[in-house]
Amino acid sequence: MPMVVELVVAMLACVRIGAVHSIVFAGFSAESLCERILDSQCSLLITADGFYRGDKLINLKVIADDALQKCRDKSFPVQRCIMLKHLSKVVEAIPLSSQSPPAKRPCPDLQQEKQKDRVKKIRPVPQVPWNPEVDQCWLSLLSGVSEECEPEWCDSEDPLFILYTSGSTGKPKGVLHTIGGYMLYVATTFKLVFDYHPDDVYWCTADIGWITGHSYITYGPLANGATSVLFEGLPTYPDVSRMWEIVDKYQVTKFYTAPTAIRLLMKYGTEPVQKYKRDSLKVLGTVGEPINPEAWQWYYSVVGEKRCPVVDTFWQTETGGHVLTPLPAATPMKPGSATFPFFGVVPAILNESGEELEGPSEGYLVFKQPWPGVMRTVYGNHQRFETTYFEQFPGYYVTGDGCRRDKDGYYWITGRIDDMLNVSGHLLSTAEVESALVEHEAVVEAAVVSRPHPVKGESLYCFVTLTDGVSFSRTLEAQLKKQVREKIGAIATPDFIQNAPGLPKTRSGKIMRRVLRKIARNEQDLGDVSTLADSSVIELLFQNRCCGAM
Ligand code: WTA
């Protein structure tokens, strides 16, 4: 669903009746949606007709239908799909003559809508395919039901929701959170990390399709009775002052966003920020990836005019809520450091052999004991939960992130050390993108690595080895990008695709991604390559490098 109030309503309605929700970010493809429906075995899909991302229409119902058809093809028929009329409600304004007939039978309400007076055309309304055996209108369902709904009483350890996150093997993991611990944890972290007071107006710019939206748009703020801004839009649309305009309009006091958004807005200078007063702001938060000190300084000095503490919150879908974070105005800040653990969280830094390092050190970030909000299992695969998080270093929860601790005990996240990429704050698995690439008949092998990007943090750099006789071309490159977009979603679209007649492999056949990362970044010092089976590929790969902005 788009970022509309009804999305929050739908989440809370699930909770009320004891149903478990699994929200899929509206930017994912039909294939990704189908994969998540099958894995979670869900029985009902709630969607909307569509929404606009800037000027671009995203036809959600068509994607949803496509996903449901894919489920049917795999013998998993979802019985019901509820559709919220979002655009047709907003754009109550299309001259009848400009509308083409809907594909199948229209949603009954939509037809009524058409009879209303039309004003002038603003934006096209999506055509809504309609299958009366499966589809139901949100509004029609609401009419005629009682306003009373007794809550279903649940155990504190009953599941609250499943949220899929990328897994390093390529298949997304259904992270399962339970009611009591998660609610306690997000309510407490929200209250303390944003220093919440009843007169605050809080705004988190994340999408509810990600964990930040679950914990710090829906559950944490609402458990505190907070007043929130729910924003459906883009930071740069209709112009790059949009965020600050909204801050002034609603007198936002606590503001929470991602480094990628800050870096994007930084490019336009201070003028679009200073056009608005922002004097209501008190605390600025950041989440999703390491924030580089320049972006931190800009956020602190330009946006917050050095008045507002910046809370750099480190956490994960799996942790449910903040685990390393400053407390505003109480923790002395260091730009780029998530500072110290939240109450009850006990971090450690381990070396390769799993030994705990003391004092200033760098290594694997792990946690030594559970806290209320930690995930309970990978839905349907408890073994995977154990293998992913607890096998490498028995007795510890492994985050997958690298971390440095300085002499003052501050923690500095250095980024993922597994096969994951963080593009604009979204985690992607290299394996997932690779398998989307090799599904193309022209590709026999693919290896994906990250390359630094000034706004997105990291970008996707893909090496592809082609089938004999196929030559690399712009058309093929475009096809491959499209293929990944359609298999996973627009967020996974490759930035660079390089023809790789051979890939650097060890004698046992393992691709040396470390070497590929260096090639993608044009770093000539490759370190130890003595285990390479055939080093002649390296020179060729350097010659064929994709250039373009880093
Ligand atoms: C990264 C998002 C540095 C990290 C809440 C983590 C961060 C992954 C920070 C989880 C931060 C998140 N500083 N890195 N403040 N916050 N990360 O599951 O790599 O989408 O493991 O949860 O984002 O991403 P996820």
Side-chain angles (χ1 to χ4, degrees), residues 358-423:
E358 301 296 333
S361 44
E362 185 165 343
Y364 294 83
L365 176 68
V366 299
F367 294 110
K368 291 171 72 165
Q369 65 179 38
W371 57 95
V374 70
M375 72 184 283
R376 299 297 196 265
T377 189
V378 170
Y379 180 70
N381 195 346
H382 195 71
Q383 184 56 47
R384 189 169 179 205
F385 176 54
E386 293 187 2
T387 324
T388 312
Y389 303 100
F390 303 101
E391 197 177 74
Q392 188 180 8
F393 300 120
Y396 299 95
Y397 166 90
V398 179
T399 59
D401 283 292
C403 185
R404 182 167 67 79
R405 189 172 42 218
D406 69 16
K407 63 177 180 11
D408 303 318
Y410 279 66
Y411 288 86
W412 301 73
I413 304 296
T414 54
R416 301 292 306 189
I417 40 183
D418 49 11
D419 289 334
M420 305 282 241
L421 294 174
N422 194 328
V423 178

Coordinates of all heavy atoms in Angstrom, one line a residue, residues 358-423:
E358 N 38.9 -6.1 23.6 CA 38.7 -5.1 24.6 C 39.2 -3.7 24.1 O 40.1 -3.7 23.3 CB 39.4 -5.5 25.9 CG 39.0 -6.8 26.5 CD 37.6 -6.9 27.0 OE1 37.1 -5.8 27.3 OE2 37.0 -8.0 27.0
G359 N 38.7 -2.7 24.7 CA 39.2 -1.3 24.4 C 39.1 -1.0 22.9 O 38.2 -1.5 22.2
P360 N 39.9 0.0 22.5 CA 39.8 0.4 21.1 C 40.1 -0.8 20.2 O 41.1 -1.5 20.4 CB 40.9 1.5 20.9 CG 41.2 1.9 22.3 CD 40.9 0.7 23.2
S361 N 39.2 -1.1 19.2 CA 39.4 -2.3 18.4 C 38.4 -2.2 17.2 O 37.5 -1.4 17.2 CB 39.1 -3.5 19.2 OG 38.0 -3.4 20.0
E362 N 38.6 -3.1 16.3 CA 37.7 -3.2 15.2 C 37.4 -4.7 14.8 O 38.3 -5.5 14.9 CB 38.3 -2.5 14.0 CG 37.3 -2.4 12.8 CD 37.7 -1.4 11.7 OE1 38.6 -0.5 12.0 OE2 37.2 -1.6 10.6
G363 N 36.2 -5.0 14.5 CA 35.9 -6.4 14.1 C 34.4 -6.6 13.9 O 33.7 -5.7 13.4
Y364 N 33.9 -7.8 14.2 CA 32.5 -8.1 14.0 C 31.6 -7.6 15.2 O 32.0 -7.8 16.3 CB 32.3 -9.6 14.0 CG 33.0 -10.3 12.9 CD1 34.3 -10.7 12.9 CD2 32.2 -10.7 11.7 CE1 34.9 -11.3 11.8 CE2 32.8 -11.3 10.7 CZ 34.1 -11.6 10.7 OH 34.7 -12.3 9.6
L365 N 30.6 -6.8 14.8 CA 29.7 -6.4 15.9 C 28.7 -7.5 16.3 O 28.0 -8.0 15.4 CB 28.9 -5.1 15.4 CG 27.9 -4.6 16.4 CD1 28.5 -4.1 17.7 CD2 27.0 -3.6 15.8
V366 N 28.7 -7.8 17.5 CA 27.8 -8.9 18.0 C 27.1 -8.4 19.3 O 27.5 -7.4 19.9 CB 28.5 -10.2 18.4 CG1 29.2 -10.8 17.1 CG2 29.5 -10.0 19.5
F367 N 26.0 -9.1 19.7 CA 25.4 -8.8 21.0 C 25.4 -10.0 21.9 O 25.3 -11.1 21.4 CB 24.0 -8.2 20.7 CG 23.9 -6.9 20.0 CD1 23.5 -6.8 18.7 CD2 24.4 -5.8 20.6 CE1 23.5 -5.6 18.0 CE2 24.4 -4.6 20.0 CZ 24.0 -4.5 18.7
K368 N 25.6 -9.7 23.1 CA 25.9 -10.8 24.1 C 24.6 -11.3 24.8 O 24.7 -12.4 25.4 CB 26.9 -10.4 25.1 CG 28.3 -10.1 24.5 CD 29.2 -9.5 25.5 CE 29.6 -10.4 26.6 NZ 30.8 -9.8 27.3
Q369 N 23.6 -10.6 24.8 CA 22.4 -11.1 25.5 C 21.1 -10.5 24.8 O 21.2 -9.4 24.1 CB 22.4 -10.7 26.9 CG 22.3 -9.2 27.2 CD 22.3 -8.8 28.7 OE1 22.9 -9.4 29.5 NE2 21.5 -7.8 29.0
P370 N 20.0 -11.2 24.8 CA 18.8 -10.7 24.1 C 18.2 -9.5 24.8 O 18.5 -9.2 26.0 CB 17.9 -11.9 24.2 CG 18.3 -12.7 25.3 CD 19.8 -12.5 25.5
W371 N 17.4 -8.7 24.1 CA 16.6 -7.6 24.6 C 15.2 -7.8 24.2 O 15.0 -8.6 23.3 CB 17.2 -6.3 24.1 CG 17.3 -6.2 22.6 CD1 16.3 -5.6 21.8 CD2 18.3 -6.8 21.8 NE1 16.7 -5.8 20.5 CE2 17.9 -6.5 20.5 CE3 19.5 -7.5 22.0 CZ2 18.6 -6.9 19.4 CZ3 20.2 -7.9 20.9 CH2 19.8 -7.6 19.6
P372 N 14.2 -7.1 24.8 CA 12.8 -7.5 24.5 C 12.5 -7.5 23.0 O 11.7 -8.3 22.6 CB 12.1 -6.4 25.3 CG 13.0 -5.9 26.3 CD 14.4 -6.0 25.8
G373 N 13.0 -6.6 22.2 CA 12.6 -6.4 20.8 C 13.3 -7.3 19.8 O 13.0 -7.1 18.6
V374 N 14.1 -8.1 20.2 CA 14.9 -8.9 19.2 C 13.9 -9.9 18.5 O 13.0 -10.4 19.2 CB 16.1 -9.6 19.9 CG1 15.7 -10.8 20.8 CG2 17.0 -10.1 18.8
M375 N 14.2 -10.2 17.3 CA 13.3 -11.1 16.5 C 13.3 -12.5 17.2 O 14.3 -12.9 17.9 CB 13.8 -11.3 15.1 CG 15.1 -12.1 15.0 SD 15.7 -12.1 13.3 CE 14.7 -13.3 12.5
R376 N 12.3 -13.3 17.0 CA 12.2 -14.6 17.7 C 12.5 -15.7 16.8 O 13.0 -16.8 17.2 CB 10.8 -14.8 18.2 CG 10.3 -13.7 19.3 CD 11.2 -13.8 20.5 NE 10.6 -13.1 21.6 CZ 10.9 -11.8 21.9 NH1 11.7 -11.1 21.2 NH2 10.2 -11.2 23.0
T377 N 12.3 -15.6 15.5 CA 12.6 -16.6 14.6 C 12.5 -16.1 13.1 O 12.0 -15.0 12.9 CB 11.6 -17.8 14.7 OG1 12.1 -19.0 14.0 CG2 10.2 -17.5 14.3
V378 N 13.0 -17.0 12.2 CA 12.7 -16.7 10.8 C 11.5 -17.5 10.5 O 11.5 -18.7 10.7 CB 13.9 -17.2 9.9 CG1 13.5 -17.2 8.4 CG2 15.1 -16.3 10.1
Y379 N 10.4 -16.9 10.0 CA 9.2 -17.6 9.9 C 9.3 -18.8 9.1 O 9.8 -18.8 8.0 CB 8.1 -16.6 9.3 CG 6.8 -17.3 9.2 CD1 6.0 -17.6 10.3 CD2 6.3 -17.7 7.9 CE1 4.8 -18.3 10.2 CE2 5.1 -18.4 7.8 CZ 4.4 -18.7 8.9 OH 3.2 -19.3 8.8
G380 N 8.8 -19.9 9.6 CA 8.8 -21.2 8.9 C 10.2 -21.9 8.8 O 10.3 -22.9 8.1
N381 N 11.2 -21.3 9.4 CA 12.6 -21.9 9.2 C 13.5 -21.5 10.4 O 14.4 -20.7 10.3 CB 13.2 -21.4 7.9 CG 14.4 -22.2 7.5 OD1 14.9 -22.9 8.3 ND2 14.8 -22.0 6.2
H382 N 13.2 -22.1 11.6 CA 13.9 -21.7 12.8 C 15.4 -22.1 12.6 O 16.3 -21.4 13.2 CB 13.3 -22.4 14.0 CG 13.8 -21.8 15.3 ND1 13.4 -20.5 15.7 CD2 14.7 -22.2 16.2 CE1 14.0 -20.2 16.8 NE2 14.8 -21.2 17.2
Q383 N 15.6 -23.1 11.8 CA 17.0 -23.5 11.6 C 17.8 -22.4 11.0 O 18.9 -22.1 11.3 CB 17.1 -24.8 10.7 CG 18.4 -25.4 10.5 CD 19.1 -25.7 11.8 OE1 18.5 -26.3 12.7 NE2 20.4 -25.3 12.0
R384 N 17.2 -21.7 10.0 CA 17.8 -20.6 9.3 C 18.1 -19.5 10.3 O 19.1 -18.8 10.2 CB 17.0 -20.1 8.2 CG 17.7 -19.2 7.3 CD 17.0 -18.9 6.0 NE 17.7 -17.9 5.2 CZ 17.1 -17.1 4.3 NH1 15.8 -17.2 4.1 NH2 17.9 -16.3 3.6
F385 N 17.2 -19.3 11.2 CA 17.4 -18.2 12.3 C 18.7 -18.6 13.0 O 19.6 -17.7 13.2 CB 16.2 -18.3 13.2 CG 16.3 -17.3 14.4 CD1 16.5 -16.0 14.2 CD2 16.1 -17.8 15.7 CE1 16.6 -15.1 15.3 CE2 16.1 -16.9 16.8 CZ 16.4 -15.6 16.6
E386 N 18.8 -19.8 13.4 CA 20.0 -20.2 14.2 C 21.3 -20.1 13.4 O 22.3 -19.6 13.8 CB 19.9 -21.6 14.8 CG 18.8 -21.7 15.8 CD 18.6 -23.0 16.5 OE1 19.5 -23.9 16.2 OE2 17.7 -23.2 17.3
T387 N 21.2 -20.6 12.1 CA 22.4 -20.6 11.3 C 22.8 -19.2 11.0 O 24.0 -18.8 11.0 CB 22.1 -21.3 10.0 OG1 21.2 -22.4 10.2 CG2 23.3 -21.8 9.3
T388 N 21.9 -18.3 10.6 CA 22.2 -17.0 10.2 C 22.8 -16.2 11.3 O 23.8 -15.4 11.1 CB 21.0 -16.2 9.6 OG1 20.3 -17.1 8.7 CG2 21.4 -14.9 9.0
Y389 N 22.2 -16.2 12.5 CA 22.6 -15.3 13.5 C 23.5 -15.8 14.6 O 24.1 -15.1 15.4 CB 21.4 -14.6 14.1 CG 20.5 -14.0 13.1 CD1 19.4 -14.6 12.6 CD2 20.9 -12.7 12.5 CE1 18.6 -14.0 11.6 CE2 20.1 -12.1 11.5 CZ 19.0 -12.8 11.1 OH 18.2 -12.2 10.1
F390 N 23.5 -17.1 14.8 CA 24.1 -17.7 16.0 C 25.2 -18.7 15.7 O 25.8 -19.2 16.7 CB 23.1 -18.3 17.0 CG 22.0 -17.3 17.4 CD1 20.8 -17.3 16.7 CD2 22.3 -16.3 18.3 CE1 19.8 -16.3 17.1 CE2 21.3 -15.4 18.7 CZ 20.1 -15.4 18.0
E391 N 25.4 -19.1 14.5 CA 26.3 -20.2 14.2 C 27.8 -19.8 14.1 O 28.6 -20.4 14.7 CB 25.9 -20.9 12.9 CG 26.5 -22.3 12.7 CD 26.0 -22.9 11.5 OE1 26.5 -22.5 10.4 OE2 25.2 -23.8 11.6
Q392 N 28.0 -18.7 13.5 CA 29.4 -18.2 13.3 C 30.1 -18.1 14.6 O 31.2 -18.5 14.7 CB 29.4 -16.9 12.5 CG 30.8 -16.5 12.0 CD 30.7 -15.2 11.2 OE1 29.7 -14.5 11.1 NE2 31.8 -14.8 10.7
F393 N 29.5 -17.4 15.5 CA 30.1 -17.2 16.9 C 29.1 -17.7 17.9 O 28.3 -16.9 18.4 CB 30.4 -15.7 17.1 CG 31.4 -15.2 16.0 CD1 31.0 -14.1 15.2 CD2 32.7 -15.7 15.9 CE1 31.9 -13.6 14.3 CE2 33.5 -15.2 14.9 CZ 33.1 -14.2 14.1
P394 N 29.2 -18.9 18.3 CA 28.2 -19.5 19.2 C 28.1 -18.6 20.5 O 29.1 -18.2 21.1 CB 28.7 -20.9 19.5 CG 29.5 -21.2 18.3 CD 30.1 -20.0 17.9
G395 N 26.9 -18.4 20.9 CA 26.7 -17.6 22.2 C 26.5 -16.1 21.9 O 26.2 -15.4 22.8
Y396 N 26.6 -15.7 20.7 CA 26.4 -14.3 20.3 C 25.4 -14.1 19.2 O 25.3 -15.0 18.3 CB 27.8 -13.7 19.8 CG 28.9 -13.7 20.8 CD1 29.8 -14.8 20.8 CD2 29.0 -12.7 21.8 CE1 30.9 -14.8 21.7 CE2 30.1 -12.7 22.7 CZ 31.0 -13.8 22.6 OH 32.1 -13.8 23.5
Y397 N 24.7 -13.0 19.2 CA 23.9 -12.6 18.0 C 24.8 -11.8 17.1 O 25.4 -10.8 17.5 CB 22.7 -11.8 18.5 CG 22.0 -11.1 17.3 CD1 21.0 -11.7 16.6 CD2 22.5 -9.8 16.9 CE1 20.4 -11.0 15.6 CE2 21.9 -9.2 15.8 CZ 20.8 -9.8 15.2 OH 20.2 -9.2 14.1
V398 N 25.0 -12.3 15.8 CA 25.9 -11.7 14.9 C 25.1 -10.7 14.0 O 24.1 -11.1 13.4 CB 26.6 -12.7 14.0 CG1 27.5 -12.1 13.0 CG2 27.4 -13.7 14.9
T399 N 25.5 -9.4 14.0 CA 24.7 -8.4 13.2 C 25.0 -8.5 11.7 O 24.2 -8.1 10.9 CB 25.1 -7.0 13.7 OG1 26.5 -6.8 13.5 CG2 24.7 -6.8 15.1
G400 N 26.2 -9.0 11.3 CA 26.6 -8.9 9.9 C 27.3 -7.6 9.6 O 27.7 -7.3 8.5
D401 N 27.4 -6.7 10.6 CA 28.1 -5.4 10.4 C 29.5 -5.4 11.0 O 29.7 -6.0 12.1 CB 27.3 -4.3 11.1 CG 26.1 -3.9 10.2 OD1 26.2 -3.4 9.1 OD2 24.9 -4.2 10.7
G402 N 30.4 -4.6 10.4 CA 31.7 -4.4 11.0 C 31.6 -3.2 11.9 O 30.7 -2.3 11.7
C403 N 32.4 -3.1 12.9 CA 32.3 -2.0 13.8 C 33.7 -1.7 14.5 O 34.5 -2.6 14.7 CB 31.3 -2.4 14.9 SG 31.0 -1.1 16.1
R404 N 33.9 -0.4 14.8 CA 35.1 0.0 15.5 C 34.7 0.6 16.8 O 33.7 1.3 16.9 CB 35.8 1.0 14.6 CG 37.1 1.6 15.0 CD 37.7 2.4 13.9 NE 37.0 3.6 13.5 CZ 37.0 4.7 14.2 NH1 37.8 4.8 15.2 NH2 36.3 5.8 13.8
R405 N 35.5 0.4 17.8 CA 35.3 1.1 19.1 C 36.5 2.0 19.3 O 37.6 1.5 19.2 CB 35.1 0.1 20.2 CG 34.6 0.7 21.5 CD 34.3 -0.4 22.5 NE 35.3 -1.5 22.5 CZ 35.0 -2.8 22.7 NH1 33.7 -3.2 22.9 NH2 35.9 -3.7 22.6
D406 N 36.2 3.2 19.6 CA 37.4 4.1 19.8 C 37.8 4.2 21.3 O 37.2 3.5 22.1 CB 37.1 5.5 19.2 CG 36.0 6.3 20.0 OD1 35.7 5.9 21.2 OD2 35.5 7.3 19.5
K407 N 38.8 5.0 21.6 CA 39.3 5.0 23.0 C 38.3 5.5 24.0 O 38.5 5.2 25.2 CB 40.6 5.8 23.0 CG 40.4 7.3 22.7 CD 41.7 8.1 22.8 CE 41.6 9.6 22.5 NZ 40.3 10.2 22.4
D408 N 37.3 6.2 23.6 CA 36.3 6.7 24.5 C 35.1 5.7 24.6 O 34.1 6.0 25.2 CB 35.7 8.0 24.1 CG 36.8 9.1 24.0 OD1 37.7 9.1 24.9 OD2 36.8 9.8 23.0
G409 N 35.2 4.5 23.9 CA 34.2 3.5 24.0 C 33.0 3.8 23.0 O 32.0 3.1 23.1
Y410 N 33.2 4.7 22.1 CA 32.1 5.0 21.1 C 32.2 3.9 20.0 O 33.3 3.5 19.6 CB 32.3 6.4 20.4 CG 31.8 7.5 21.3 CD1 32.4 7.8 22.5 CD2 30.8 8.3 20.8 CE1 32.0 8.9 23.2 CE2 30.3 9.4 21.6 CZ 30.9 9.7 22.8 OH 30.5 10.7 23.5
Y411 N 31.0 3.5 19.6 CA 30.9 2.5 18.5 C 30.7 3.2 17.1 O 29.9 4.2 17.0 CB 29.7 1.5 18.8 CG 30.0 0.6 19.9 CD1 29.8 1.0 21.2 CD2 30.6 -0.6 19.7 CE1 30.1 0.1 22.3 CE2 30.9 -1.5 20.7 CZ 30.6 -1.1 22.0 OH 30.9 -2.0 23.0
W412 N 31.4 2.8 16.2 CA 31.4 3.3 14.8 C 31.1 2.2 13.8 O 31.9 1.3 13.7 CB 32.7 4.0 14.4 CG 33.1 5.1 15.3 CD1 33.6 5.0 16.5 CD2 33.1 6.5 15.0 NE1 34.0 6.2 17.0 CE2 33.6 7.2 16.1 CE3 32.7 7.2 13.8 CZ2 33.7 8.6 16.1 CZ3 32.8 8.6 13.9 CH2 33.3 9.3 15.0
I413 N 29.9 2.1 13.2 CA 29.6 1.1 12.3 C 30.4 1.3 11.0 O 30.4 2.4 10.4 CB 28.1 1.1 11.9 CG1 27.2 0.9 13.2 CG2 27.7 -0.1 10.9 CD1 27.4 -0.3 14.0
T414 N 31.1 0.2 10.5 CA 31.9 0.4 9.3 C 31.2 -0.2 8.1 O 31.7 -0.1 7.0 CB 33.2 -0.2 9.5 OG1 33.0 -1.6 9.9 CG2 34.1 0.5 10.5
G415 N 30.0 -0.8 8.2 CA 29.3 -1.3 7.1 C 29.2 -2.8 7.1 O 29.7 -3.5 8.0
R416 N 28.4 -3.4 6.2 CA 28.2 -4.8 6.2 C 29.5 -5.6 5.9 O 30.3 -5.1 5.1 CB 27.2 -5.2 5.1 CG 25.8 -4.5 5.2 CD 25.0 -4.9 6.4 NE 24.8 -6.4 6.5 CZ 24.0 -6.9 7.3 NH1 23.3 -6.2 8.2 NH2 23.9 -8.2 7.4
I417 N 29.6 -6.7 6.5 CA 30.8 -7.5 6.2 C 30.3 -8.9 5.7 O 31.1 -9.8 5.6 CB 31.7 -7.7 7.4 CG1 31.0 -7.9 8.7 CG2 32.7 -6.6 7.5 CD1 31.9 -8.0 9.9
D418 N 29.0 -9.0 5.3 CA 28.6 -10.2 4.7 C 28.3 -9.9 3.2 O 28.6 -8.8 2.8 CB 27.4 -10.8 5.4 CG 26.3 -9.7 5.7 OD1 26.4 -8.6 5.1 OD2 25.3 -10.0 6.4
D419 N 27.6 -10.7 2.5 CA 27.3 -10.5 1.1 C 26.1 -9.6 0.9 O 25.2 -10.0 0.1 CB 27.2 -11.8 0.3 CG 28.6 -12.4 0.2 OD1 29.6 -11.7 0.3 OD2 28.6 -13.7 0.1
M420 N 26.0 -8.5 1.6 CA 24.9 -7.6 1.5 C 25.3 -6.3 1.1 O 26.4 -5.9 1.3 CB 24.2 -7.5 2.9 CG 23.8 -8.8 3.5 SD 22.3 -9.4 2.7 CE 21.3 -9.4 4.1
L421 N 24.4 -5.6 0.4 CA 24.7 -4.2 0.0 C 23.7 -3.3 0.6 O 22.5 -3.7 0.9 CB 24.4 -4.1 -1.5 CG 25.4 -4.9 -2.4 CD1 24.9 -4.8 -3.9 CD2 26.7 -4.3 -2.3
N422 N 24.1 -2.1 0.8 CA 23.1 -1.1 1.4 C 23.0 0.0 0.4 O 23.8 0.9 0.3 CB 23.7 -0.6 2.8 CG 22.6 0.1 3.6 OD1 21.8 0.8 3.0 ND2 22.7 0.0 4.9
V423 N 21.9 0.0 -0.4 CA 21.6 1.0 -1.4 C 20.5 1.9 -0.9 O 19.4 1.4 -0.6 CB 21.2 0.3 -2.7 CG1 20.9 1.4 -3.8 CG2 22.3 -0.7 -3.2

